Amino acid sequence: MERKVAWNGRSDEDLVALEQLAAEYREFISQNKTERECTKAAIAAAEAAGYKPLSEAIAGELPLQPGDKVWAHAKGKAIILVHVGRATMAQGLNILGAHIDSPRLDIKQNPLYESNGLALLDTHYYGGIKNYQWVALPLALHGVVAKTDGTVVDVVIGEDELDPVFCVTDLLPHLGRAQMDKKGGNVVEGEDLDLLVGSCPKQAPLGENVDGTSSETNKDVILSGARSAESKDLPTASNEASTNSNTPKDPVKERFLDLLADRYGICEEDFLSAELEVVPAGPARDLGLDRSMIIGYGQDDRVCAFTSLKAQLALAADAVVPDTTAVCVLVDKEEIGSVGATGMTSRFFENTMAEIMELAGEGGMLALRRGLEASRMLSSDVSAGFDPAYASVYEPKNSAYLGRGLVFNKYTGARGKSGSNDASAEYVARVRRVMDDAGVFFQTAELGKVDAGGGGTIAYISAEYGMDVIDSGVAVLSMHAPWEVTSKVDIYEAYRGYEAFLRKM
């Protein structure tokens, strides 16, 4: 069963809408490269669409009625949007779930050091990456620094065209013979993914010697950065530095810290309570001469998070109360097992729904359990797009292809479906009917050949409540690489499919 190409037969109106969505998506993933940034953007979009903070309703004990829209977040790194429907929530919810974290490099808590005239930051990679893909490309710093006085400083360096960028260096091929003989996983060791951040030393006050007397000769040498043949007997800059009592032990490191203090008001100790992420610098771009694709960082899984958010907000735009309560949950930590207070395994989702049902007059553990069990969910996560360059690891009949629409994975997991949700046949049939009725282009797929590998999503976690869940998303090339590739038409069909699910499921 070969699925239709979703580009074919498009009306001019469709193509305009498709390009408008793609442009908005490019901007979203270019500006929001961390889970905090995605959450902040989602809150802004939700409030513009009429959503109110759940915390205000709880504080004011304000009852929730059909048509009300509320949002809640977990520590600024996960968010839930709920649009209350006509039916009781104990009868079930329509849920879109995606994750907003992506593979990257994280700055360690004690990261800064100087070596041989270079300042570097130690990193610890996050999620499944190929280490060698992160060397020799422009990188940016995004994140927050929490200070002991209670202030939190937002940091973004490397995205503005006037900003500097950073990089992890690589070994030149002339000296890389032994490196190239290593297995791919060891070509670049994780501990060697150190970020190069500076090379210019902090200089001692000009014209001041160890004894405090002025030295115009030394001042001239420092300013010029070079010496004439006649001055070759004068002390070198490094010798001068070593004899100057005011010169720091690690002058390049100290200059880096001075610049951080000037720009952000933070010191070295503040790294202890910082969350700084190293991500590829620069915006997402159109790919291909036909501009049919998008290349950008973090499309796993922000392509599904963005389209899920857009679908949820579309319900608010038409001012019609949905029959079934619509929920969009965007979570953190999926790339490392959905753990922690902001991952799907936390009680954030369950606790939030308990609060909402209480305010809607459906309080109680039994009603909550019944509602979660009766719910339906699309675990919105990307799928591996068939890549002809690596065809040997794919099974062509059961692979996702760019340009053929929204992808459904009945099961993911590895080898014997380990770690998979494996949606029921009856639920798959219901989803098919909704997509067919809405005219959504879709395809089904597995994650490569049996025994070739595998992967997981948040589907199995939600399924523990007894609800129906299936994985759905967009096909991606170069998944988990610094720059990933998607098709514009697949993004458009994902949005259409997610909206149809919320309205008709």
Side-chain angles (χ1 to χ4, degrees):
M1 296 181 292
E2 186 169 327
R3 307 302 293 180
K4 295 179 181 179
V5 175
W7 285 106
N8 293 339
R10 289 289 180 185
S11 66
D12 291 343
E13 183 180 8
D14 264 354
L15 292 175
V16 170
L18 183 153
E19 286 295 342
Q20 288 176 342
L21 183 70
E24 189 176 345
Y25 170 63
R26 276 198 316 270
E27 182 178 4
F28 179 85
I29 61 172
S30 296
Q31 295 182 353
N32 303 295
K33 295 186 176 182
T34 70
E35 60 280 6
R36 287 179 182 269
E37 291 168 347
C38 288
T39 299
K40 187 175 180 180
I43 291 172
E47 293 196 330
Y51 279 74
K52 303 296 183 183
L54 176 61
S55 58
E56 291 183 3
I58 294 173
E61 298 183 352
L62 304 176
L64 293 179
Q65 306 292 337
D68 286 344
K69 302 177 289 293
V70 293
W71 63 266
H73 73 87
K75 306 184 186 304
K77 294 189 282 186
I79 182 170
I80 293 178
L81 286 73
V82 178
H83 192 154
V84 181
R86 298 182 188 278
T88 64
M89 281 176 268
Q91 293 176 269
L93 317 164
N94 287 340
I95 307 167
L96 297 175
H99 68 91
I100 49 179
D101 60 315
S102 294
R104 60 181 188 259
L105 306 180
D106 283 344
I107 299 299
K108 291 184 179 182
Q109 285 187 283
N110 185 20
L112 183 58
Y113 70 98
E114 179 177 332
S115 179
N116 300 100
L118 300 176
L120 301 106
L121 293 173
D122 265 325
T123 71
H124 192 137
Y125 63 86
Y126 173 96
I129 69 168
K130 293 179 178 178
N131 295 353
Y132 64 79
Q133 292 181 328
W134 287 79
V135 301
L137 76 160
L139 299 170
L141 270 177
H142 288 238
V144 297
V145 178
K147 303 173 67 174
T148 54
D149 64 3
T151 60
V152 177
V153 181
D154 291 317
V155 175
V156 177
I157 309 174
E159 299 297 350
D160 189 279
E161 62 179 10
L162 299 179
D163 275 356
V165 294
F166 311 98
C167 78
V168 177
T169 58
D170 196 9
L171 183 63
L172 66 163
H174 311 69
L175 301 177
R177 182 175 179 180
Q179 181 193 47
M180 297 304 292
D181 287 339
K182 295 180 179 180
K183 291 184 177 181
N186 299 320
V187 168
V188 178
E189 300 287 349
E191 200 62 62
D192 294 333
L193 292 171
D194 293 352
L195 195 68
L196 181 60
V197 297
S199 67
C200 182
K202 177 179 180 179
Q203 297 178 357
L206 295 179
E208 183 176 306
N209 293 329
V210 176
D211 59 4
T213 60
S214 177
S215 170
E216 289 301 317
T217 301
N218 287 349
K219 177 180 178 180
D220 292 339
V221 168
I222 294 172
L223 289 175
S224 67
R227 297 178 183 277
S228 66
E230 290 76 16
S231 64
K232 64 181 179 181
D233 293 328
L234 291 174
T236 64
S238 59
N239 286 339
E240 177 187 47
S242 65
T243 59
N244 193 314
S245 61
N246 293 317
T247 300
K249 176 183 176 183
D250 296 316
V252 180
K253 171 183 170 180
E254 291 300 323
R255 188 163 193 270
F256 175 78
L257 288 170
D258 284 349
L259 293 171
L260 279 184
D262 289 343
R263 181 165 179 174
Y264 294 104
I266 58 179
C267 64
E268 186 173 8
E269 285 285 316
D270 292 327
F271 279 113
L272 295 174
S273 51
E275 290 180 3
L276 295 172
E277 302 177 13
V278 182
V279 299
R285 302 281 296 274
D286 281 352
L287 179 66
L289 195 59
D290 56 5
R291 295 181 176 271
S292 62
M293 296 167 284
I294 291 176
I295 184 169
Y297 166 69
Q299 298 199 71
D300 176 11
D301 182 39
R302 295 182 188 124
V303 65
C304 296
F306 170 81
T307 46
S308 296
L309 176 63
K310 287 287 292 183
Q312 179 81 13
L313 298 182
L315 300 185
D318 60 15
V320 175
V321 178
D323 292 331
T324 301
T325 295
V327 179
C328 178
V329 52
L330 308 178
V331 293
D332 183 24
K333 298 294 190 291
E334 191 276 343
E335 297 294 357
I336 57 171
S338 296
V339 295
T342 54
M344 196 64 195
T345 57
S346 74
R347 295 290 181 263
F348 169 54
F349 168 68
E350 181 180 326
N351 291 347
T352 301
M353 291 312 307
E355 294 280 8
I356 290 172
M357 291 182 69
E358 181 72 29
L359 292 173
E362 298 185 58
M365 184 58 66
L366 183 57
L368 174 66
R369 295 299 178 195
R370 286 174 175 170
L372 294 178
E373 184 176 3
S375 294
R376 299 147 299 275
M377 180 179 183
L378 295 185
S379 170
S380 305
D381 208 340
V382 296
S383 192
F386 183 90
D387 190 336
Y390 305 100
S392 63
V393 297
Y394 295 90
E395 197 271 278
K397 299 192 310 301
N398 290 287
S399 292
Y401 292 85
L402 264 65
R404 298 188 187 178
L406 178 62
V407 183
F408 288 101
N409 296 85
K410 185 179 185 297
Y411 46 82
T412 54
R415 291 168 292 280
K417 299 184 181 180
S418 176
S420 172
N421 162 59
D422 205 350
S424 71
E426 293 85 354
Y427 183 53
V428 175
R430 289 184 63 186
V431 171
R432 284 177 55 206
R433 184 175 67 248
V434 169
M435 298 301 130
D436 286 341
D437 290 347
V440 175
F441 287 81
F442 72 90
Q443 54 186 315
T444 59
E446 296 182 17
L447 196 61
K449 280 185 176 180
V450 177
D451 290 337
T457 66
I458 64 172
Y460 76 96
I461 302 167
S462 301
E464 290 180 357
Y465 292 111
M467 68 175 70
D468 282 316
V469 187
I470 188 172
D471 286 302
S472 66
V474 173
V476 175
L477 299 180
S478 302
M479 191 190 299
H480 281 213
W483 297 97
E484 299 168 317
V485 177
T486 56
S487 168
K488 289 181 180 179
V489 75
D490 294 339
I491 297 169
Y492 184 62
E493 290 304 308
Y495 163 68
R496 294 182 64 239
Y498 293 159
E499 185 178 355
F501 173 84
L502 290 179
R503 293 182 185 276
K504 301 297 182 181
M505 195 65 189

